[in-house]
């Protein structure tokens, strides 16, 4: 692709996918394992801000950010400059062999801006799943216990340990061999589907009863929770749920791990989703995705005494905290610190919640509107019931794709449409995308 920045407008010039994408997809099907799916086989050549440009010259509005990664915007100028400068200077040493400064700088940022008024330390990896795996390793080492508690509807990754922690065995774990042990799933607070009027405290007591009766404290190392569940369809637990859980883990010496891989770093209108509930004090955070504008890097951040429980040499990996990815992370974190980014997530929430709630009032197929910041979702039902309506979501997603809007589904029942736009999206572009989606809902 030639010139940047790309005009921030939707443009559909061929069928989607167009002929060039279709030809590329033929090649892909010959060369790439079927195990890697293709939700929308449109081949992207370039992107800027909130616009993706495909091989046929179509311009799609991105409402997914590659699942919450390009939060700062595609090809953000600060990130591009930082990466270009770094790549010409130093691309690799292996931090645990011969270190370099920007790894330390990323850790300093994360220690400062994660919630919790205590001394923190961090360690860097490559992916969200790797961060979750390592957080569990650290919690186990610190407690000398093994048990892991996770929640219904949760998603934590695709490695053996993390797919075993996911709520859905299919498609993540089924057939891929024995699941990891010592993992217990307990009920989440899911306000739309819990008994009417159930408070967050009640939902937490329900979870805690499961933990105490079915798991026991004797061998429990950690409780891992997404403060807003991502793949589950942006389930925001009822107020009081996270705080009550946190009080219980603290009282019982259990390490509380907040998986902020999807919800973290300015996405929800705070630095981290955990900031939204007072009294929720996780010990460790897993962070990835939006932290580096598209470069692969992840982190575990948390209480220094827990983070230091691992013996030297116990944590690491060849590429973890790679200098080019770390340069991108510093560029993103500096922009968030400078101001405007978190505020933009709140502005997007205002637009999204107004438009989506108006749609809910109009179309009985929408059962719930929820989320925070630029992380909002609508759950589709069969009108008049709570029965999940995946067919409606499939139709709306297909309609949106054909009209140049990339939108993602989610949810245990695949009946949720989630909105994760880059924060660089303009108001006009966001409204245009919502108009397309609304037309798709109206046509149901
Ligand atoms: N924890 C909360 O959302 C990644 C999965 C995409 P990785 N979610 C997107 C897919 O289908 O593979 C995720 C998450 C939460 C952990 C992870 C895992 O992060 O970087 O994909 O390993």
């Amino acid at each position: 692709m030639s010139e940047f920045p790309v005009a921030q407008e939707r443009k559909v010039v061929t069928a989607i996918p167009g002929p060039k994408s279709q030809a590329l997809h033929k090649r892909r099907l010959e060369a790439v394992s079927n195990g890697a799916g293709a939700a929308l086989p449109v081949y992207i050549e370039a992107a800027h801000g909130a616009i993706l440009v495909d091989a046929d010259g179509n311009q799609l509005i991105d409402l997914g950010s590659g699942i919450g990664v390009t939060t700062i915007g595609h090809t953000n100028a600060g990130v591009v400059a930082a990466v270009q400068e770094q790549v010409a200077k130093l691309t690799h040493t292996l931090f645990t062999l011969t270190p370099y400064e920007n790894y330390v700088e990323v850790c300093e940022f994360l220690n400062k801006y994660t919630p919790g008024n205590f001394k923190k330390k961090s360690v860097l990896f490559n992916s969200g799943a790797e961060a979750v795996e390592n957080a569990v390793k650290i919690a186990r080492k610190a407690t000398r216990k093994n048990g892991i508690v996770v929640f219904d509807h949760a998603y934590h990754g695709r490695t053996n340990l993390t797919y075993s922690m996911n709520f859905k065995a299919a498609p993540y774990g089924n057939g891929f061999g024995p699941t990891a042990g010592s993992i217990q799933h307990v009920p989440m607070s899911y306000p739309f589907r819990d008994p009417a009027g159930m408070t967050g405290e009640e939902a937490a007591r329900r979870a805690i009863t499961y933990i105490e009766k079915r798991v026991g404290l004797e061998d429990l190392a950690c409780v891992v929770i997404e403060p807003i569940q991502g793949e589950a369809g942006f389930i925001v637990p009822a107020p009081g749920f996270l705080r009550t859980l946190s009080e219980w883990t603290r009282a019982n010496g259990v390490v509380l791990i907040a998986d902020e891989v999807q919800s973290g770093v300015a996405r929800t209108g705070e630095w981290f989703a955990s900031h939204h509930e007072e009294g929720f004090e996780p010990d460790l955070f897993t962070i990835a995705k939006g932290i580096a504008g598209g470069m692969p890097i992840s982190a575990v951040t948390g209480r220094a005494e827990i983070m230091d429980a691992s013996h030297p040499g116990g944590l690491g990996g060849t590429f973890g905290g790679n200098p080019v990815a770390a340069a991108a992370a510093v560029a993103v974190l500096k922009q968030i610190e400078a101001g405007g980014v978190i505020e933009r997530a709140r502005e997007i929430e205002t637009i999204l919640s107004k438009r989506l709630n108006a749609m809910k009032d109009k179309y009985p197929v929408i059962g719930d509107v929820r989320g925070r910041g630029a992380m909002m979702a609508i759950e589709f039902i069969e009108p008049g019931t709570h029965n999940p309506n995946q067919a409606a979501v499939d139709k709306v997603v297909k309609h949106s794709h054909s009209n140049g809007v990339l939108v993602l589904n989610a949810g245990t029942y695949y009946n949720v449409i989630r909105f994760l736009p880059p924060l660089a999206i303009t108001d006009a572009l966001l409204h245009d995308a919502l108009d397309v989606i609304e037309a798709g809902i109206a046509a149901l």
Side-chain angles (χ1 to χ4, degrees):
M1 286 302 297
S2 44
E3 80 258 11
F4 286 100
V6 175
Q8 295 299 291
E9 61 190 25
R10 180 169 62 97
K11 204 167 83 185
V12 178
V13 295
T14 68
I16 294 182
K20 286 187 181 152
S21 275
Q22 288 181 36
L24 282 165
H25 201 55
K26 266 205 185 121
R27 258 174 71 195
R28 171 206 172 116
L29 291 175
E30 282 302 310
V32 180
S33 158
N34 289 342
L40 177 59
V42 163
Y43 286 72
I44 306 301
E45 283 196 349
H48 186 71
I51 289 288
L52 302 166
V53 186
D54 77 7
D56 294 283
N58 296 297
Q59 296 198 176
L60 286 78
I61 303 175
D62 184 7
L63 293 185
S65 303
I67 317 200
V69 173
T70 51
T71 303
I72 198 82
H74 289 278
T75 54
N76 170 269
V79 173
V80 171
V83 167
Q84 284 176 337
E85 192 187 322
Q86 183 63 46
V87 82
K89 224 160 70 181
L90 175 74
T91 57
H92 179 78
T93 66
L94 206 172
F95 184 78
T96 53
L97 203 57
T98 44
Y100 40 88
E101 183 179 350
N102 64 14
Y103 183 116
V104 180
E105 204 177 354
V106 173
C107 295
E108 287 168 347
F109 264 111
L110 296 176
N111 298 342
K112 181 166 175 196
Y113 287 110
T114 41
N117 217 349
F118 39 78
K119 166 99 179 134
K120 286 178 227 140
K121 288 195 174 184
S122 295
V123 55
L124 305 182
F125 303 98
N126 303 288
S127 68
E130 222 187 326
V132 174
E133 287 249 7
N134 279 281
V136 170
K137 275 168 68 175
I138 293 165
R140 283 174 163 170
K141 186 84 192 198
T143 57
R144 307 267 163 185
K145 294 178 181 177
N146 297 309
I148 308 167
V149 160
V150 291
F151 288 83
D152 291 349
H153 312 291
Y155 181 88
H156 298 292
R158 291 179 183 268
T159 59
N160 181 253
L161 178 70
T162 56
Y163 78 56
S164 308
M165 293 164 68
N166 293 346
F167 181 62
K168 286 195 213 175
Y172 307 116
N174 52 318
F176 290 130
T179 49
S182 303
I183 299 165
Q184 297 281 349
H185 299 254
V186 306
M188 178 63 182
S189 165
Y190 189 165
F192 181 62
R193 295 194 173 275
D194 281 341
M198 185 179 227
T199 65
E201 288 80 3
E202 286 163 354
R205 292 305 323 166
R206 177 179 62 183
I208 290 164
T209 301
Y210 263 76
I211 302 173
E212 289 178 340
K213 301 293 174 196
R214 288 189 46 88
V215 186
L217 276 166
E218 211 175 325
D219 192 36
L220 180 56
C222 56
V223 169
V224 187
I225 188 160
E226 298 160 84
I228 297 178
Q229 288 187 319
E231 297 305 297
F234 301 175
I235 298 171
V236 183
F241 178 79
L242 295 172
R243 176 184 40 80
T244 307
L245 196 67
S246 175
E247 285 162 2
W248 182 86
T249 53
R250 194 166 334 126
N252 290 285
V254 176
V255 177
L256 180 58
I257 301 172
D259 182 347
E260 292 250 22
V261 166
Q262 195 158 155
S263 59
V265 202
R267 174 53 66 186
T268 65
E270 290 284 354
W271 271 93
F272 292 91
S274 298
H275 278 114
H276 289 284
E277 185 154 323
E278 211 173 311
F280 179 51
E281 259 205 7
D283 300 295
L284 303 181
F285 299 86
T286 55
I287 301 159
K289 291 189 184 284
I291 191 183
M295 296 296 285
I297 190 167
S298 68
V300 181
T301 296
R303 271 183 202 280
E305 64 272 23
I306 297 176
M307 293 298 295
D308 281 339
S310 171
H311 49 277
L315 306 173
T318 304
F319 292 116
N322 166 272
V324 182
V330 170
V332 168
L333 294 165
K334 274 189 177 157
Q335 288 180 63
I336 301 175
E337 184 178 60
V341 180
I342 287 173
E343 292 74 7
R344 183 63 190 148
R346 292 181 193 158
E347 288 167 8
I348 290 170
E349 173 174 347
T350 305
I351 295 172
L352 279 176
S353 64
K354 192 161 167 228
R355 292 280 319 255
L356 299 177
N357 277 303
M359 289 184 212
K360 177 171 177 269
D361 292 343
K362 206 158 150 197
Y363 307 105
V365 75
I366 300 177
D368 195 26
V369 175
R370 57 178 179 251
R372 291 188 198 278
M375 185 175 187
M376 297 204 66
I378 45 182
E379 176 157 356
F380 286 71
I381 46 157
E382 291 165 4
T385 72
H386 271 54
N387 299 340
N389 192 341
Q390 182 187 345
V393 165
D394 291 347
K395 282 187 195 142
V396 176
V397 167
K398 195 160 173 243
H399 166 91
S400 305
H401 289 174
S402 312
N403 287 284
V405 176
L406 177 60
V407 70
L408 309 173
N409 68 4
T412 293
Y413 318 102
Y414 299 107
N415 67 322
V416 175
I417 290 182
R418 57 177 145 174
F419 298 86
L420 278 174
L423 303 181
I425 197 167
T426 62
D427 288 6
L429 214 49
L430 183 55
H431 281 295
D432 183 27
L434 288 163
D435 289 343
V436 168
I437 290 165
E438 178 157 8
I441 297 171
L444 284 173

